Amino acid sequence: MSFWFAITAMSTIVLATWAWRRRRLHTATLRLNGIRACREGVDFAEQIVRFSNLLSLHPLLLTHLDQQMVQAQLTMATLDPADTAFAQRLRVVRNALAQLQSSGHEETTLLCALPRTDKQHLVILTAIRKHRQLGRAARRSGLLQEDEHAQLDAQLHTLQVEMNISSVEQRATVAIAQGQYRVAHQLLVKGSQLLARRTDPASLDSYQRLIALYRQMPVDLGDGRKENMAA
């Protein structure tokens, strides 16, 4: 009897120890995931702040981002209160967001001149993608209604198309000036595809500019493609 009692007791201890270790590991994993999420959130907010001199941020998106920073501040105070360097980063980000909120922007607009290099285009396109990502998060949180998000995302998408077309125009202009007509042809076809089925005034104007560039090339490129596109 004592033998089976000892076996049962030993099994209970082993199972209890296994459950305790499993629970401890689970708790540690949750803590690390929480800290990682906070860090990623602050990294994202810092990127948005860096882009704020290029692209203004919709007030509701600013509000959403600040709410996320408040939550990150509370979470880190619980999970890792000794990380004072990260707490300082959070304060800096929140101060920057407060300054942006006081700047009075009522919509998302491009704050700089149209870029002139591929690198500048890439930076602004990255900023637009970050804004669209933030808009989706604000919609999921309920801060942006479906119609508000749809309107904002359409505005950002139009700006994204405008940046892509600006890059196409500049590169095609250089290609034409250098006599690289096939390169220019490919760029202009790509640009026309980006504008397909878009009827907003900015897109229609962009399409006319592409056609004007296209007409600067020789009538015959050797395979009739110019005539087909111009039509």
Side-chain angles (χ1 to χ4, degrees):
M1 188 72 173
S2 60
F3 173 77
W4 290 111
F5 177 80
I7 292 295
T8 302
M10 184 64 70
S11 298
T12 302
I13 292 172
V14 169
L15 288 173
T17 302
W18 176 82
W20 175 78
R21 288 179 176 174
R22 184 179 178 86
R23 188 181 306 112
R24 186 176 181 183
L25 178 62
H26 180 66
T27 301
T29 301
L30 289 177
R31 178 178 179 274
L32 290 175
N33 288 341
I35 292 174
R36 185 183 300 112
C38 289
R39 294 186 183 281
E40 290 175 352
V42 173
D43 290 343
F44 182 84
E46 287 176 337
Q47 291 174 349
I48 292 293
V49 169
R50 285 198 298 270
F51 290 137
S52 63
N53 64 326
L54 303 174
L55 194 63
S56 65
L57 199 62
H58 191 283
L60 288 178
L61 297 187
L62 275 172
T63 299
H64 171 78
L65 200 55
D66 188 58
Q67 289 176 352
Q68 296 303 303
M69 294 305 97
V70 171
Q71 185 59 50
Q73 199 167 21
L74 294 173
T75 301
M76 288 298 291
T78 301
L79 298 180
D80 195 3
D83 193 344
T84 55
F86 186 73
Q88 176 61 25
R89 281 181 64 196
L90 270 168
R91 284 193 291 271
V92 171
V93 169
R94 291 204 65 199
N95 288 336
L97 293 175
Q99 292 177 2
L100 291 175
Q101 286 176 317
S102 65
S103 63
H105 292 294
E106 297 182 356
E107 59 181 5
T108 300
T109 54
L110 188 67
L111 298 176
C112 61
L114 286 176
R116 300 186 61 83
T117 66
D118 288 342
K119 183 177 180 180
Q120 292 171 344
H121 276 104
L122 181 60
V123 170
I124 294 180
L125 286 172
T126 301
I128 293 170
R129 285 194 294 269
K130 295 292 182 182
H131 278 62
R132 296 185 73 180
Q133 181 180 346
L134 184 58
R136 290 191 294 270
R139 182 198 61 195
R140 288 194 297 268
S141 72
L143 189 61
L144 273 180
Q145 300 300 316
E146 287 291 338
D147 57 337
E148 293 173 325
H149 172 258
Q151 182 178 0
L152 174 61
D153 196 63
Q155 179 186 358
L156 287 168
H157 183 247
T158 296
L159 185 56
Q160 184 174 331
V161 171
E162 182 180 349
M163 290 301 102
N164 284 318
I165 293 300
S166 173
S167 177
V168 165
E169 285 186 73
Q170 292 178 22
R171 293 166 65 190
T173 298
V174 171
I176 291 172
Q178 295 175 349
Q180 299 175 345
Y181 300 121
R182 296 195 182 283
V183 173
H185 177 273
Q186 292 172 354
L187 287 167
L188 294 172
V189 167
K190 176 183 176 181
S192 67
Q193 291 171 345
L194 289 173
L195 295 173
R197 295 185 298 278
R198 295 188 62 86
T199 58
D200 57 282
S203 295
L204 295 176
D205 289 343
S206 295
Y207 184 75
Q208 292 303 317
R209 292 197 303 273
L210 295 187
I211 290 298
L213 279 174
Y214 201 78
R215 287 171 177 162
Q216 294 179 24
M217 295 192 296
V219 173
D220 186 7
L221 297 181
D223 55 10
R225 287 183 299 177
K226 184 175 192 300
E227 292 83 346
N228 292 338
M229 179 178 171

